[in-house]
Amino acid sequence: MESNEISLVTQTDNRKFRKFYLAAVAALFGSISMGTGLGYSSPAIPSLQSVNSNVHLSDADIPWFGSLLAIGALIGGPIAGFAIDYFGRKLTLMLIPVVFIAGWLCMIFSHSTGLLLFGRIVTGFSCGLVSLAVPVYIAETAAPDSRGLLGSCVQLMITLGILLTYVVGKYIEWKWLALFSMTFPAILTILMIFVPETPRWLLSNGKRGDAIKAIDFLYGSSLNAEAECQILESNISQQTSERLSWRVLLLPHVLKPLFLSLGLMIFQQLSGINNVMFYTVSIFQSTGSAMDPNDETIIIGVVLFLATLAGSLLMDLAGRRILLLVSAFVMAFSLAVLGTYYYLDETVRNSYNWLPLTSMIVYIAAFSIGYGPIPWLMMGELFSVKVRGWSSGIATFVNWTFVFLVTKEFHFMIELVHEYGAYWIFGSLCLLSCVFVATVVPETKGKTLEEIENYFQAKKQLLHSINASDNDLENI
């Protein structure tokens, strides 16, 4: 059972510094790299539209430049699932920077829009690899009493990468910003040299001696590495014997948590969050605010980082459902206000030029405490261990699909229903997500993974009971 996984690690001396924190820090440079990729388009687009740029983005190119990252990530996610099993978690994380740097180099040396967009796809492909590989590496190296904290750092470091890109992008043009972004994947490769492969992968591939060395490094000599290996081998043997076909995903007690996870992922993107992340500077330019759009964008990045940190701390205190409901309702309100601002006459808007930044700050803060981290957290909580890999892969694929659809069609929405209509639509979808959470999403706060699995198994057992009763009646 998963509850036994690395069970002896909690018996180590907590007063001693355990090196699995170093392993997590190394891997988290992958998340920072992903954040720079996500945040790059916002400061880069105005620079690429400048008359001084040797590559010029037209208005028709901008939606593609923002959304093609998601197309690359759609491809990278499934490939990462294969790579971490075939090459190992550590080697995959060491190879990802090669792809990242190749994408940034395509943009740096591009003399045409085509090569620039291709570089955007390649960096997106790397983001897809990171989005799966980093959480798996951290989950398999961290001790149980630190896994939640380090797991939440994945999202936090992504927001840090976005913030760094916003800040640096104010002062340098798009080529130098791409060069700056290359430094983080390079650091990832260097740091991963000094940390081990995960013990689970090593044991799964018959490298028991290396697994014992990895356990000694990660948790210290106070842990009985031999006993820990035996526990891991037992878990691996059990999970291997329980591998099921894809048809298991169609069973009701598996389909319902998959439906819930997909719903959260879809509503996360229908909130319009990545339109803000990808086009922040352009959005603020359109508001007519007297403040520098780059300064407003940096403020948004700071709020994103601090609110994500607050959300991580509130997660196990307030509960998932209440944070999702508060998050969706406040986002709907702030988007309604922002849409109303765009609806007003320009002369009236001049008296309220502070409103767009205020609305965006509230919107970002609300997203960061709820709909930002919780769909990813609950993805890991809702699925049973036997289908977690497949189900998580489907949920991740759907998430990146909607990233592409929403960001690609954002400018079309503005042309069709204007800015105010677009923001009102996203606000209405946030309200709809409140209904979804209130009616079907269960609270998982304080529950073990076994209790959550039993919650979805209950209806299956009830159905079996009813069928058994029907068979008994037929035999009378």
Side-chain angles (χ1 to χ4, degrees):
M1 294 294 292
E2 187 171 343
S3 58
N4 292 330
E5 188 175 302
I6 319 185
S7 59
L8 295 181
V9 172
T10 56
Q11 300 175 16
T12 60
D13 188 349
N14 289 327
R15 293 172 298 177
K16 294 181 178 179
F17 179 76
R18 291 177 284 177
K19 292 182 181 178
F20 64 78
Y21 289 112
L22 294 178
V25 168
L28 286 171
F29 270 88
S31 297
I32 298 175
S33 302
M34 178 177 172
T36 61
L38 293 172
Y40 177 78
S41 60
S42 179
I45 285 174
S47 178
L48 283 162
Q49 291 187 301
S50 169
V51 293
N52 296 323
S53 175
N54 63 321
V55 179
H56 184 77
L57 283 183
S58 66
D59 291 340
D61 294 327
I62 291 175
W64 287 108
F65 186 74
S67 60
L68 280 176
L69 179 138
I71 291 294
L74 277 173
I75 303 169
I79 291 178
F82 164 78
I84 61 172
D85 284 339
Y86 187 80
F87 298 110
R89 283 64 161 143
K90 174 181 175 176
L91 184 56
T92 299
L93 285 171
M94 293 181 69
L95 293 176
I96 288 174
V98 177
V99 187
F100 248 127
I101 292 172
W104 291 122
L105 288 175
C106 284
M107 287 191 272
I108 290 171
F109 293 104
S110 61
H111 294 283
S112 66
T113 304
L115 186 57
L116 187 73
L117 296 178
F118 177 74
R120 187 71 172 155
I121 294 175
V122 175
T123 55
F125 178 78
S126 306
C127 288
L129 296 173
V130 165
S131 66
L132 191 148
V134 171
V136 169
Y137 182 82
I138 291 177
E140 292 189 1
T141 55
D145 58 353
S146 301
R147 188 176 295 141
L149 172 65
L150 294 176
S152 66
C153 285
V154 173
Q155 182 72 16
L156 186 64
M157 291 301 103
I158 291 173
T159 63
L160 178 60
I162 293 171
L163 173 59
L164 290 173
T165 305
Y166 287 172
V167 172
V168 176
K170 176 185 176 180
Y171 301 102
I172 60 178
E173 66 171 11
W174 61 274
K175 278 193 175 184
W176 292 107
L177 184 59
L179 183 63
F180 167 78
S181 301
M182 283 175 51
T183 60
F184 298 103
I187 294 173
L188 170 62
T189 295
I190 294 171
L191 292 182
M192 288 304 298
I193 295 173
F194 302 101
V195 296
E197 177 59 82
T198 70
R200 172 177 292 275
W201 185 86
L202 290 169
L203 289 171
S204 298
N205 288 269
K207 300 182 178 181
R208 201 172 195 279
D210 291 335
I212 290 176
K213 292 178 182 177
I215 292 171
D216 285 336
F217 177 93
L218 293 168
Y219 312 120
S221 57
S222 59
L223 178 68
N224 188 329
E226 179 63 34
E228 189 67 21
C229 276
Q230 292 178 4
I231 292 174
L232 287 175
E233 286 171 334
S234 175
N235 291 331
I236 292 168
S237 176
Q238 179 183 358
Q239 292 175 13
T240 301
S241 65
E242 292 179 346
R243 286 178 183 168
L244 301 173
S245 71
W246 61 269
R247 294 181 181 85
V248 75
L249 296 175
L250 302 178
L251 297 175
H253 66 286
V254 176
L255 199 58
K256 183 175 181 180
L258 179 60
F259 163 76
L260 294 174
S261 183
L262 293 181
L264 291 174
M265 290 295 190
I266 291 170
F267 277 119
Q268 181 193 64
Q269 294 307 318
L270 292 182
S271 70
I273 183 61
N274 277 306
N275 294 321
V276 175
M277 293 297 98
F278 289 6
Y279 308 120
T280 314
V281 174
S282 300
I283 290 172
F284 282 127
Q285 285 177 335
S286 70
T287 64
S289 172
M291 193 173 179
D292 185 343
N294 285 292
D295 291 335
E296 292 177 303
T297 299
I298 291 170
I299 292 173
I300 292 299
V302 172
V303 172
L304 177 67
F305 177 77
L306 294 178
T308 302
L309 177 61
S312 300
L313 299 175
L314 288 172
M315 203 76 65
D316 289 323
L317 295 175
R320 281 60 158 154
R321 275 169 52 89
I322 186 64
L323 287 178
L324 284 170
L325 290 169
V326 170
S327 175
F329 182 79
V330 176
M331 281 195 296
F333 175 78
S334 58
L335 288 170
V337 171
L338 185 60
T340 302
Y341 172 84
Y342 277 102
Y343 185 76
L344 296 173
D345 184 81
E346 186 173 350
T347 56
V348 179
R349 289 195 317 207
N350 291 335
S351 301
Y352 299 95
N353 55 17
W354 52 269
L355 197 57
L357 178 60
T358 304
S359 298
M360 294 288 273
I361 288 174
V362 174
Y363 169 81
I364 287 293
F367 175 84
S368 300
I369 66 169
Y371 258 101
I374 291 178
W376 295 103
L377 174 66
M378 293 192 70
M379 181 182 73
E381 293 179 329
L382 292 173
F383 303 133
S384 67
V385 66
K386 289 185 286 187
V387 297
R388 187 166 296 143
W390 289 357
S391 300
S392 298
I394 293 172
T396 302
F397 179 85
V398 168
N399 185 278
W400 282 111
T401 300
F402 274 81
V403 171
F404 170 74
L405 292 175
V406 174
T407 54
K408 174 64 174 65
E409 300 305 324
F410 179 58
H411 287 78
F412 174 75
M413 286 179 64
I414 290 177
E415 292 177 1
L416 189 66
V417 297
H418 306 290
E419 285 92 345
Y420 60 83
Y423 291 119
W424 285 345
I425 289 173
F426 287 129
S428 300
L429 292 169
C430 288
L431 286 179
L432 183 61
S433 74
C434 285
V435 178
F436 174 77
V437 173
T439 54
V440 300
V441 176
E443 180 57 72
T444 58
K445 170 195 169 186
K447 292 182 173 63
T448 66
L449 296 178
E450 289 76 20
E451 289 173 335
I452 297 171
E453 184 174 351
N454 289 336
Y455 170 83
F456 293 110
Q457 288 278 3
K459 290 187 177 181
K460 172 191 175 186
Q461 294 168 355
L462 177 62
L463 180 62
H464 285 170
S465 177
I466 293 173
N467 290 337
S469 299
D470 291 341
N471 291 335
D472 291 341
L473 288 174
E474 290 176 1
N475 292 332
I476 296 176

